[in-house]
Amino acid sequence: MGVSDLETRPSEYACGPVDAKGPEELLITARKVWLGRTTEVSRALPDRQIRMIGAWCFLDHYGPEDVAGSPGMQVWAHPHTGLQTVSWLLEGEIEHRDGLGSRVRVRPGELNIMTAGHGIVHSELSLPDKPPTLHGVQLWVALPDADRDTRPRFENYPVLPKVKLGGLIGTVLLGELAGVRSPALTYTPLVGADLTLAAGSSVELPLNPNFEYGVLVVGGQATVASTEVAVDQLLYLGSNRKAARLASRHGARMIIVGGKPFEEEIVMWWNFIGRSHQEVLDFRTAWESRDERFTPVVSRDEKVMEAPPMPTVPLKPRPRRRTTT
Ligand code: MN
């Protein structure tokens, strides 16, 4: 998907070195953003205060939306660099196509992970035979400097390992949670999982003290550590925790993301992650000029997204976390 496909003045997101403070509970409410012309998403990351959690730099939740009488998702061909996209559907179906020739039905329970690296083009569209409901998340992972120019690849993992702890069932998307490891390709120490908490349950979820974590509620309501978290709220938990308590009176579904704090400064603009204004400008120019960096999606009467204008002020690094005094 596009970061800011219809934002007329896309923001600049840049991240500096991490200020890891240990455990904390910072509640973030996702903001509404239009994606393409038809899908409204709730964007939890980047946030004004917390721009990344580990290498996770982008977290969108969309739906559940009735798409029976609408086109559904219409995110046409657009480029990415320097990141991985993680597509995870909770309900419904979309089709992913990319410049590598991939053509995949994205379905609930299957992980689709696209490593953009040097550069890739993809589209994500609801098809005419789509199910009536669309509900999902899309996340981005920033690639570290050593790997961010890697060749692009797309992987589909139809079966993922499960964590079961009392009233909690988790699907591990990336990395490791409670001793259970996903086979998905990762480049930095991180974790992402889809957690379902049964009504009336309370579970102590083991965590890695070297990671920072956040929990986004995508259904129901939960108590995470000591904070009530509703749908489209992300609770940032900080680092240096051996565990966190998750409880829910009526049941909840959550996405947990975590990772070793990402120390590199990045510049994130539109669908690109780079390290400087000039590099992002070069990516934009390559896309607009149909440079060979971006092999087009073939075999569809493909509509293409044009990049928005560059901001009038240079993209430059700013602190990863907003400083409050
Ligand atoms: Mn995309």
Side-chain angles (χ1 to χ4, degrees):
M1 287 178 219
V3 169
S4 50
D5 300 310
L6 274 202
E7 284 178 20
T8 51
R9 299 195 52 181
S11 312
E12 148 203 4
Y13 299 117
C15 304
V18 173
D19 176 22
K21 295 175 178 173
E24 54 189 299
E25 296 185 35
L26 177 63
L27 190 63
I28 291 165
T29 298
R31 66 188 195 283
K32 301 286 185 186
V33 176
W34 283 98
L35 190 73
R37 291 170 198 285
T38 53
T39 304
E40 190 181 44
V41 303
S42 296
R43 182 158 300 158
L45 288 180
D47 171 75
R48 283 168 65 242
Q49 296 179 87
I50 301 292
R51 299 196 180 93
M52 296 178 79
I53 298 177
W56 299 99
C57 57
F58 184 85
L59 176 46
D60 271 358
H61 172 225
Y62 51 91
E65 184 192 352
D66 180 356
V67 292
S70 75
M73 185 173 290
Q74 298 291 311
V75 178
W76 292 98
H78 59 278
H80 287 290
T81 57
L83 57 90
Q84 294 175 295
T85 64
V86 176
S87 300
W88 183 246
L89 275 189
L90 307 176
E91 275 185 275
E93 185 176 287
I94 54 175
E95 187 186 65
H96 160 98
R97 293 196 193 191
D98 63 44
L100 302 171
S102 314
R103 182 178 173 180
V104 175
R105 296 286 185 112
V106 179
R107 298 189 172 98
E110 297 187 13
L111 178 70
N112 291 283
I113 181 163
M114 184 178 78
T115 302
H118 182 71
I120 197 166
V121 179
H122 77 144
S123 62
E124 288 165 301
L125 301 174
S126 295
L127 295 179
D129 66 351
K130 63 188 181 303
T133 304
L134 181 62
H135 188 198
V137 291
Q138 192 179 82
L139 308 95
W140 293 0
V141 177
L143 294 176
D145 210 42
D147 298 300
R148 69 193 183 91
D149 199 41
T150 191
R151 69 177 175 86
R153 46 200 288 184
F154 178 82
E155 283 148 307
N156 169 270
Y157 296 93
V159 180
L160 294 162
K162 302 277 189 188
V163 167
K164 289 180 184 172
L165 282 173
L168 179 128
I169 296 178
T171 304
V172 185
L173 309 182
L174 277 82
E176 186 238 302
L177 186 70
V180 174
R181 177 166 283 280
S182 161
L185 180 68
T186 58
Y187 292 88
T188 52
L190 53 73
V191 64
D194 177 356
L195 308 178
T196 298
L197 197 53
S201 56
S202 177
V203 172
E204 189 86 344
L205 180 67
L207 300 177
N208 179 343
N210 298 318
F211 281 13
E212 55 180 341
Y213 289 91
V215 176
L216 175 74
V217 172
V218 294
Q221 183 156 4
T223 308
V224 180
S226 61
T227 304
E228 283 293 313
V229 188
V231 169
D232 288 333
Q233 291 185 321
L234 169 72
L235 185 72
Y236 177 69
L237 288 164
S239 58
N240 201 23
R241 291 178 186 268
K242 290 180 179 165
R245 183 154 294 275
L246 304 176
S248 182
R249 194 166 168 190
H250 300 293
R253 192 160 181 184
M254 296 157 282
I255 304 293
I256 184 169
V257 293
K260 186 171 174 288
F262 196 81
E263 305 284 356
E264 295 172 28
E265 296 188 356
I266 68 172
V267 177
M268 184 167 158
W269 181 81
W270 195 45
N271 294 303
F272 304 130
I273 294 183
R275 295 295 185 273
S276 68
H277 177 91
Q278 185 60 49
E279 191 179 34
V280 168
L281 179 60
D282 291 346
F283 293 153
R284 184 189 182 283
T285 303
W287 171 241
E288 291 297 301
S289 63
R290 304 297 183 261
D291 182 88
E292 64 184 10
R293 178 183 285 270
F294 298 114
T295 306
V297 177
V298 291
S299 77
R300 179 155 54 196
D301 183 19
E302 197 64 59
K303 292 185 201 167
V304 164
M305 290 184 172
E306 301 304 333
M310 289 292 285
T312 50
V313 293
L315 303 172
K316 56 186 176 184
R318 40 180 201 181
R320 177 181 180 277
R321 288 190 64 167
R322 191 162 193 254
T323 336
T324 50
T325 49

